[in-house]
């Protein structure tokens, strides 16, 4: 596979006190938010933020997230969310994401996220546009 146009997003996040649950570590639901921030960064790097995709007549919707929680993260940890292109289908694609504890390069969580491209007006699935396809 030729990855000459392939991109990888790396977004650093500092864990805040409001993200900690009663067990003293980052709440599981918060990781989904971290992953979303990583995907937004991926789109930004691809020069396809929401408003640009929308003007082209497309929106993307998350259809499935498979996440593995590997290690706990705690307040003030600096985490890095890494987002890479995965598989490309007709109307969907996957983004492969990992969250690492930056200082130790320790795997905290990993996820595969399936995203469907839909027509902004009809909300029906459409072929992944070339502007996105080129990154896979």
């Amino acid at each position: 596979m030729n990855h000459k146009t392939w991109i990888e997003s790396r977004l650093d996040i500092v864990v805040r006190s409001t993200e900690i649950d009663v067990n003293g570590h980052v709440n599981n639901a918060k990781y989904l938010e971290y992953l979303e921030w990583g995907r937004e960064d991926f789109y930004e790097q691809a020069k396809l933020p929401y408003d640009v995709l929308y003007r082209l007549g497309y929106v993307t919707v998350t259809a499935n997230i498979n996440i593995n929680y590997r290690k706990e993260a705690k307040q003030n940890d600096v985490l890095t969310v890494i987002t890479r292109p995965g598989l490309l289908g007709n109307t969907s694609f996957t983004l492969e994401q990992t969250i690492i504890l930056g200082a130790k390069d320790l795997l905290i969580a990993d996820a595969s996220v399936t995203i469907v491209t839909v027509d902004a007006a009809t909300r029906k699935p459409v072929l992944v546009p070339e502007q996105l396809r080129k990154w896979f």
Side-chain angles (χ1 to χ4, degrees):
M1 183 182 293
N2 184 352
H3 288 295
K4 66 181 181 179
T5 57
W6 186 80
I7 57 174
E8 174 183 276
S9 165
R10 296 179 74 89
L11 179 68
D12 291 333
I13 296 168
V14 178
V15 175
R16 302 297 179 198
S17 62
T18 56
E19 298 162 352
I20 303 301
D21 65 17
V22 296
N23 293 317
H25 58 221
V26 174
N27 182 274
N28 69 83
K30 198 54 149 170
Y31 289 104
L32 299 178
E33 190 171 346
Y34 295 164
L35 294 173
E36 184 171 353
W37 297 347
R39 292 191 303 278
E40 287 176 9
D41 189 64
F42 178 87
Y43 288 123
E44 292 283 336
Q45 286 193 33
K47 307 279 190 270
L48 289 170
Y50 180 84
D51 61 326
V52 171
L53 271 174
Y54 189 80
R55 280 196 306 274
L56 292 170
Y58 307 104
V59 295
T60 58
V61 295
T62 300
N64 181 274
I65 297 177
N66 287 315
I67 185 169
N68 299 299
Y69 301 99
R70 306 291 186 177
K71 300 281 184 194
E72 61 185 358
K74 298 189 176 207
Q75 186 173 344
N76 296 322
D77 281 348
V78 178
L79 304 178
T80 302
V81 180
I82 303 167
T83 306
R84 299 179 183 103
L87 299 174
L88 177 64
N90 290 322
T91 61
S92 66
F93 56 93
T94 61
L95 291 176
E96 301 302 324
Q97 296 188 275
T98 55
I99 300 174
I100 61 170
L101 181 59
K104 298 178 183 173
D105 206 27
L106 179 69
L107 181 62
I108 300 296
D110 57 87
S112 181
V113 182
T114 302
I115 298 164
V116 177
T117 308
V118 299
D119 181 281
T122 67
R123 298 298 212 219
K124 303 253 189 240
V126 294
L127 288 176
V128 176
E130 182 55 36
Q131 295 90 333
L132 266 173
R133 277 185 179 282
K134 72 180 183 178
W135 300 112
F136 290 80

